[in-house]
């Protein structure tokens, strides 16, 4: 059925959110709504077949064993939605070079659409969350890595290679720590959770006085740094200050370039609150022009951790639903 259709065919439409540690799947139940998510651990170390088997297993539980009408999956890393091939997956290395669309389609016996996870989360924020009703919208998600999505003139912007929206890999400086892809001075190398954790570990190793010395270095995460910063640790505060400042300069740059109506910031690091947002606002102000900044509402994402799954369900409805999708109209042919 289509969502909200109710007549005739009843095969479910399914969304899947594939993350580095867990998989969630859910069935579309109405416009912008989905059923209770089914969870699986991601067998991230066991290769592509095991990961896709786990996704298919979660889908079967979500549909109660019914063959779906169609499924959409958000996958971390650059990929080509047109060919179905994942080109890089830093946290799920076995998926690199795999045609995840065709492999999952074989397992589910239905058509499958794949999309970058941040693009899909941004799509949900646009259709259901902070960007609802806008035609110029930017989403940035700051967690382990930094991803994003752009909506320009009412259309999700894909670019010539269908990879547009990699806001985490903007230049943040000429030199500086490299991101996981090896770009020197890239925003992800300074402002992501991974970057904050790396910087903290380096400072501990070099003998800096900090409460983080009591945390085992091999498990030291951005959450530990956040906890220490909230308790007043000077190094931890400084690391969030630096990350927030760089993030703000990135946001300000995008405000200058694209003049969005709404700029939504999501991802796990937003739980740091003003530790991140105070330096971020300073960074925005020092680089953005007054006029586009005055016309832009910078806000936290509305859907929280549900954005990835909600977006995948929406994407399945948009791609394979047989009734009118609940989100904005599909992009017009260019
Ligand atoms: Zn990069």
């Amino acid at each position: 059925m289509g969502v909200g259709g109710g007549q005739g065919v009843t095969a479910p439409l399914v969304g899947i959110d594939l993350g580095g540690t867990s998989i969630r799947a859910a069935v579309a139940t109405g416009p912008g709504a989905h059923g209770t998510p089914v969870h699986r651990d991601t067998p991230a170390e066991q290769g592509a077949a095991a990961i896709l088997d786990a996704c298919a297993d979660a889908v079967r539980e979500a549909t109660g064993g019914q063959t779906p009408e169609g499924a959409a999956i958000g996958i971390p890393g650059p990929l080509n939605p047109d060919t179905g091939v994942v080109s890089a997956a830093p946290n799920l290395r076995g998926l690199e070079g795999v045609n995840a669309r065709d492999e999952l389609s074989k397992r589910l016996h239905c058509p499958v659409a794949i999309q970058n996870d941040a693009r899909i989360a941004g799509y949900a924020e646009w259709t259901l969350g902070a960007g609802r009703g806008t035609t110029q919208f930017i989403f940035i998600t700051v967690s382990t890595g930094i991803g994003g999505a752009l909506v320009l003139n009412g259309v999700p912007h894909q670019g010539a290679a269908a990879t547009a929206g990699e806001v985490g890999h903007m230049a943040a400086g000429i030199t500086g720590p490299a991101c996981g892809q090896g770009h020197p001075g890239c925003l992800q190398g300074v402002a992501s959770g991974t970057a904050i954790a790396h910087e903290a570990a380096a400072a501990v190793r070099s003998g800096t006085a900090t409460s983080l010395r009591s945390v085992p270095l091999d498990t030291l995460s951005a959450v530990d740094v956040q906890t220490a910063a909230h308790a007043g640790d000077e190094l931890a505060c400084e690391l969030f200050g630096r990350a927030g400042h760089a993030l703000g300069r990135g946001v300000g740059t995008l405000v200058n370039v694209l003049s969005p109506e709404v700029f939504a910031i999501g991802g796990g690091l937003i739980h740091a609150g003003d530790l991140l947002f105070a330096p971020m606002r300073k960074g925005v102000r020092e680089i953005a022009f007054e006029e586009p900044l005055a016309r832009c509402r910078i806000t936290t994402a509305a859907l929280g951790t549900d954005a990835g799954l909600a977006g995948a369900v929406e994407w399945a409805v948009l791609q394979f639903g047989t009734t009118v999708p609940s989100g904005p109209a599909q992009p017009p042919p260019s």
Side-chain angles (χ1 to χ4, degrees):
M1 81 179 173
V3 169
Q7 71 279 46
V9 196
T10 56
L13 293 157
V14 189
I16 308 152
D17 181 35
L18 170 58
T21 55
S22 73
I23 295 163
R24 293 178 304 159
V27 170
T29 52
H34 62 73
T36 307
V38 169
H39 294 254
R40 288 286 183 282
D41 290 336
T42 306
E45 305 301 323
Q46 294 171 33
I51 293 169
L52 295 166
D53 284 347
C55 291
D57 192 47
V59 169
R60 277 189 288 271
E61 186 181 329
T63 63
Q66 269 187 289
T67 302
E69 183 178 352
I73 180 167
I75 299 175
L79 52 80
N80 188 326
D82 299 328
T83 63
V85 176
V86 177
S87 50
N91 301 317
L92 300 166
R93 287 198 185 277
L95 275 186
E96 196 164 316
V98 169
N99 193 315
R101 181 192 63 191
D102 293 355
E103 286 298 321
L104 198 54
S105 183
K106 264 187 241 164
R107 286 165 171 80
L108 295 176
H109 311 289
C110 75
V112 170
I114 71 168
Q115 186 51 273
N116 171 270
D117 61 344
R119 237 75 79 210
I120 267 201
Y123 182 77
E125 276 297 330
W126 177 48
T127 54
L128 307 167
R132 200 167 180 169
T134 64
T135 55
Q136 317 292 344
F137 173 66
I138 301 179
F139 171 72
I140 185 166
T141 171
V142 191
S143 53
T144 309
I146 300 179
L150 312 172
V151 174
L152 305 177
N153 303 317
V155 179
H157 183 68
Q158 295 210 52
T163 57
E166 291 293 346
V167 295
H169 300 274
M170 289 188 293
I174 293 185
T175 58
C179 71
Q181 292 290 321
H183 309 139
C186 151
L187 184 62
Q188 187 157 298
V190 264
S192 63
T194 306
I196 290 171
H198 278 175
E199 290 288 310
V204 169
R205 275 192 209 98
S206 73
T208 306
T210 166
S211 62
L212 291 167
R213 299 178 77 141
S214 63
V215 181
L217 277 185
D218 55 343
T219 66
L220 181 57
S221 71
V223 175
D224 296 319
V225 183
Q226 185 186 315
T227 306
H230 278 306
D233 184 84
E234 201 176 320
L235 170 75
C237 290
E238 188 192 318
L239 292 177
F240 267 91
R242 225 184 286 164
H245 188 198
L247 178 65
R249 288 175 59 89
V251 169
T253 300
L254 289 167
V255 167
N256 287 344
V257 173
L258 298 170
S259 184
E261 296 166 76
V262 171
F263 202 128
I265 298 158
L269 255 66
I270 67 173
H271 299 304
D274 264 354
L275 276 177
L276 187 75
F277 291 134
M280 186 197 82
R281 286 190 288 268
K282 173 174 172 270
V284 171
R285 280 193 304 273
E286 71 189 23
I287 210 144
F289 282 105
E290 206 174 303
E291 180 74 3
L293 188 56
R295 299 280 294 265
C296 176
R297 189 163 61 85
I298 300 174
T299 182
T300 48
L303 300 179
T305 52
D306 191 47
L309 183 59
V313 173
E314 282 285 290
W315 206 254
V317 172
L318 187 67
Q319 298 290 321
F320 306 116
T322 47
T323 58
V324 180
S326 54
Q330 263 183 297
S334 48

